[in-house]
Structure formats: C-alpha cells, structure tokens
Amino acid sequence: TDSYVHLAWHYLSGAGTDANYDLARYWYEQAARAGDVESMFVVAQMLEKETTPNDETAEKALIWYEKAAAAGHIDSQYIVGVAHLAEGDIQSLDSAEYWLTRASEQDSTEAQLVLGKAYKTGAIGRVDPGGAKKWLKSAAQSGNTEAQYEFAKTMQESTDAVSQKKAYIWLSSAASKGH
C-alpha cells in the first residue's frame, strides 16, 4: 500500500508529474481498500470536498470515515461522532456518544469539548453533569479556551467557595487567551 499512497501523493501534489486529482483519489482509494487507515481518512475528505447537499458522495464519505474510525483513526472517530450527533435520533445519539467517547479517550480535545457540551446540554439524549465536567475539564486542561470557558461555567453552577475559585481561575485563563 505504500506505493499506492506515495503515487497518490504525487498525483495530488503534481510532484514529478502533472497534478491529477482523479488519479490521486483512485490511488488513495486503492490504498484504503487495502487497509491503509490514513488513506481511508483522505478518501473521505476528498469525497466530502466534492459533496453537495443530498449528494450520495456525502454517504460515501461517511462510510470511509466510519471505516477509518473503526480502525482507530481519532479524527475520523470525532467526525463520525459529530455527524451522528447532528442526526439526532436515538440510535444516532448512541453512536455519537460511542465515537465521541472513543476519540475523547484518545485525547481528542475537539471530541472532549463536543462530548462535554453534549452531556451538559442533553444534546446526547440525556443530561450527564459528571460526564460534562469530566470531558470539559480534560479539554480545558489541554488549553482549549472554549473548553476552559465552558468548564468554568459548570463550576459556577456550584455554590461552594472551592468551585467558585476554580471557575474564576478557568475564566481568567480563557480571557487571557482572548475568549
């Protein structure tokens, strides 16, 4: 598969040959079909760029993202989780929680933020204050200013002095970074 990937890159970049998007996608698809996880992700991205509303390429892109997610690709897990979260039905919400949790457990700050907010607001199908705090704190500790702000707001909901002090510290951090 390495030859497929490198050939695809040459066609995509035009290095050593004329750039040819269609041939690049063809070779990335060959690598993806042969099990190359990063190529699965690249093919999904390429399909997604070609997508128009209600286009079947959107479904094909999601299928490639799901294959890459199942193979452990963190960004794909995040993307699949967000896609299912947007669908909103119970089965999709369960899938969204599964994929966002998998990505969050592998330190995807974006997934941690989305999952934390979904638990906080109930967008995942239920409100889970403990889950919200866990994932928002994790994303905040990674330096994500939106997560710092969201985590601070969760801390403000408690009336005890320790929580209020933590809220102040996290809000100060987010504000100092321009949030």
Side-chain angles (χ1 to χ4, degrees):
T1 62
D2 287 346
S3 295
Y4 297 163
V5 172
H6 289 282
L7 188 56
W9 178 84
H10 278 276
Y11 279 121
L12 190 60
S13 68
T17 188
D18 291 333
N20 187 319
Y21 186 85
D22 292 332
L23 284 173
R25 192 172 96 191
Y26 171 81
W27 286 110
Y28 276 124
E29 283 183 16
Q30 296 308 306
R33 285 189 178 96
D36 185 79
V37 177
E38 190 62 32
S39 292
M40 293 174 192
F41 179 71
V42 171
V43 169
Q45 287 183 309
M46 293 174 92
L47 287 166
E48 193 173 42
K49 288 179 184 174
E50 298 172 15
T51 301
T52 56
N54 299 318
D55 192 347
E56 70 181 38
T57 57
E59 284 183 39
K60 290 179 183 176
L62 185 58
I63 289 167
W64 280 113
Y65 280 130
E66 287 173 338
K67 288 179 181 184
H73 193 272
I74 299 167
D75 291 335
S76 294
Q77 292 171 345
Y78 166 71
I79 290 167
V80 170
V82 169
H84 287 297
L85 187 62
E87 291 173 14
D89 60 84
I90 296 298
Q91 184 176 355
S92 295
L93 292 177
D94 288 344
S95 184
E97 182 178 27
Y98 174 79
W99 288 116
L100 289 170
T101 300
R102 295 234 1 231
S104 294
E105 289 170 345
Q106 296 181 76
D107 298 324
S108 168
T109 303
E110 294 85 3
Q112 292 168 346
L113 174 61
V114 170
L115 186 58
K117 287 172 72 173
Y119 280 141
K120 185 176 180 179
T121 63
I124 203 81
R126 67 184 185 290
V127 174
D128 179 354
K133 282 183 181 178
K134 173 184 177 178
W135 293 118
L136 290 173
K137 181 179 181 180
S138 187
Q141 289 173 329
S142 295
N144 183 294
T145 56
E146 184 178 355
Q148 291 173 345
Y149 172 73
E150 292 293 334
F151 182 63
K153 289 190 339 186
T154 64
M155 297 309 294
Q156 282 181 318
E157 292 169 5
S158 296
T159 56
D160 64 277
V162 173
S163 294
Q164 292 301 314
K165 179 68 174 179
K166 288 179 181 178
Y168 167 79
I169 292 168
W170 284 111
L171 285 170
S172 296
S173 178
S176 73
K177 296 174 187 162
H179 189 277

